[in-house]
Amino acid sequence: MSVSRPPEPALSPEPAASRQGPDVPTLLVKIFGKDRPGITAGLFDTLAAYSVDVVDIEQVVTRGRIVLCALVTAPTAGGTTEGELRATVHSWAESLKLQAEIISGTGDNRPRGVGRSHVTVLGHPLTAESTAAIAARITSTGGNIDRIFRLAKYPVTAVEFAVSGTGTEELRTALAPEAAGIGVDVAVVSAGLSRRAQRLVVMDVDSTLIQDEVIELFAAHAGCEAEVAEVTERAMRGELDFEQSLHARVALLAGLDVSVVEKVRAEVRLTPGARTLIRTLKRLGYQVGVVSGGFTQVTDDLKERLGLDFASANTLEVADGKLTGRVTGGIVDRAGKARLLRSFAAEAGVPLAQTVAIGDGANDLDMLNTAGLGVAFNAKPVVREAAHTAVNVPFLDTVLYLLGVTREEVEAADGLVE
């Protein structure tokens, strides 16, 4: 037995441009002049008299000057002509002391090339020379710059290029040495929905989240700063690996009263922008963690104070109210940091491709390379060269710009802008 079905609803009619294909006549209407309220509404009210369809709109205001571009279908209804539309638009613009330019053509923008990326450039300052160099390098890879806009004007200038036509990794490879040579920071990330998805951000602590080296703060109370510095220097020369240097330095703290922990916590100085970064990430729904070759006696306190989701570090052993000069449990070293990033991501339910790692030292490299985006923050040259991107300004919240967050959005969320 056949069953009758109600007819499917008719599809909504397509806009004129897509209905008629790429050969439909279109007009690019460009308006320039001093910005004021009502310009956009006035232009489209003027165009409405000619029954045109809107195909595309772009508007930007820079230092009080507006550039408004409207791509519309050519007039076809009611016997009106393109010439009449032109005359009306020019008359309207002149009445507001604006300039108008109307260009005839066909169709819409050509399709964007395969491969799309966001290229964020940070400069302090951002010079015309460096901007030209970055743009030229993008072009040399076969990329096309589709759009540019400013993310921040202070404490650094940050701009974002929307690029198509070349692969993200190819762009990274081409731009990294260029950026290093001209003294700007550049980050390249893939465009798409994943950029807006929930993320996990994991940071190193010493010289990243905080300005200090925690072992040095403890050493100052133990009166062994010089000895700790000497062990650190040996490790940097490659004479000791991280675990050996950790044990050697911690041994110098033996006998220190446990009350010094509270003193060290009070001495810790957050990196400028750290609170803003974490506060904004949490507002975005991101999860945030820290991993450290330092000590849980400090990272646990930071986790509570800053509302972090994850924290892991080495633990100083305490007996009879004194530090024993030993650590307990597993060692958080270079490999351990990468392992913890994976563990945090699994617990948070976030794919590794949507993780961000931030660090400054060689023991952060595995973590930086494991994350979807690894950021070398004021790092040593070997780390800058190996990471996905580098930030060389002393403001941790500049990492937000690499994620497409603007300074205005941050300030608005903080209630600094009405």
Side-chain angles (χ1 to χ4, degrees):
M1 182 176 68
S2 62
V3 178
S4 61
R5 297 180 179 177
E8 294 184 2
L11 294 174
S12 300
E14 295 181 353
S18 59
R19 186 172 63 246
Q20 298 179 32
D23 296 328
V24 61
T26 53
L27 301 175
L28 176 58
V29 182
K30 302 167 68 178
I31 304 297
F32 316 85
K34 184 178 180 181
D35 188 34
R36 73 202 74 174
I39 290 178
T40 306
L43 173 62
F44 286 98
D45 187 52
T46 301
L47 294 172
Y50 296 90
S51 300
V52 299
D53 294 330
V54 176
V55 180
D56 196 4
I57 309 171
E58 288 280 354
Q59 177 176 308
V60 63
V61 177
T62 305
R63 210 183 65 183
R65 309 293 291 185
I66 187 172
V67 178
L68 171 59
C69 297
L71 185 65
V72 299
T73 55
T76 56
T80 56
T81 66
E82 181 181 316
E84 291 172 326
L85 182 149
R86 287 174 176 270
T88 302
V89 170
H90 279 289
S91 177
W92 166 80
E94 289 173 5
S95 71
L96 296 177
K97 297 183 179 180
L98 300 169
Q99 293 178 284
E101 181 181 4
I102 303 175
I103 303 172
S104 300
T106 58
D108 196 351
N109 297 323
R110 59 187 175 88
R112 295 177 64 186
V114 176
R116 300 181 185 180
S117 304
H118 297 285
V119 177
T120 306
V121 182
L122 309 180
H124 190 57
L126 180 63
T127 66
E129 180 182 9
S130 59
T131 305
I134 293 299
R137 181 60 68 185
I138 290 172
T139 302
S140 74
T141 68
N144 184 71
I145 300 172
D146 301 315
R147 185 172 300 170
I148 307 172
F149 64 94
R150 186 176 68 184
L151 294 165
K153 60 183 178 182
Y154 73 91
V156 299
T157 301
V159 295
E160 182 173 287
F161 295 74
V163 178
S164 62
T166 190
T168 297
E169 288 302 324
E170 183 179 355
L171 268 177
R172 277 182 182 160
T173 301
L175 290 175
E178 188 73 38
I182 60 180
V184 298
D185 300 330
V186 174
V188 184
V189 297
S190 298
L193 291 177
S194 62
R195 198 183 190 206
R196 299 178 178 88
Q198 183 189 33
R199 287 181 182 264
L200 167 69
V201 178
V202 176
M203 290 174 276
D204 174 44
V205 176
D206 291 8
S207 298
T208 301
L209 178 63
I210 66 174
Q211 301 177 60
D212 312 282
E213 293 288 328
V214 170
I215 185 68
E216 295 177 2
L217 296 180
F218 277 101
H221 289 280
C224 59
E225 294 170 277
E227 292 89 338
V228 165
E230 194 277 331
V231 174
T232 301
E233 182 62 28
R234 289 180 61 197
M236 293 180 66
R237 292 196 302 263
E239 297 173 11
L240 299 173
D241 63 22
F242 176 80
E243 184 170 351
Q244 289 173 320
S245 68
L246 176 67
H247 287 306
R249 287 177 291 180
V250 170
L252 296 169
L253 306 180
L256 199 59
D257 193 275
V258 73
S259 63
V260 79
V261 168
E262 289 301 324
K263 296 177 183 178
V264 168
R265 288 175 174 176
E267 292 166 351
V268 164
R269 300 168 299 162
L270 292 175
T271 298
R275 289 187 183 276
T276 300
L277 171 66
I278 294 169
R279 182 171 61 246
T280 304
L281 292 173
K282 299 296 287 182
R283 284 172 172 163
L284 289 168
Y286 290 13
Q287 298 189 60
V288 185
V290 292
V291 292
S292 176
F295 310 112
T296 57
Q297 282 83 355
V298 171
T299 57
D300 287 350
D301 180 63
L302 289 170
K303 180 182 179 182
E304 182 177 351
R305 285 166 51 195
L306 300 174
L308 303 176
D309 299 285
F310 305 98
S312 187
N314 302 302
T315 299
L316 294 169
E317 184 182 66
V318 178
D320 299 323
K322 306 286 185 181
L323 301 186
T324 66
R326 296 186 294 271
V327 292
T328 63
I331 299 298
V332 178
D333 56 8
R334 176 170 170 167
K337 288 186 174 184
R339 185 171 59 251
L340 285 164
L341 171 67
R342 294 188 184 94
S343 175
F344 292 168
E347 187 175 343
V350 174
L352 280 176
Q354 289 166 214
T355 62
V356 179
I358 311 168
D360 75 299
N363 66 333
D364 297 315
L365 274 174
D366 289 2
M367 176 178 72
L368 297 182
N369 290 325
T370 298
L373 176 64
V375 180
F377 181 72
N378 292 310
K380 298 164 184 65
V382 65
V383 182
R384 291 200 303 268
E385 293 169 6
H388 297 141
T389 190
V391 171
N392 295 299
V393 294
F395 311 106
L396 194 55
D397 54 341
T398 54
V399 173
L400 292 169
Y401 310 145
L402 310 185
L403 304 177
V405 180
T406 70
R407 186 75 193 181
E408 289 182 346
E409 290 171 328
V410 173
E411 292 182 345
D414 285 339
L416 300 179
V417 177
E418 295 184 358

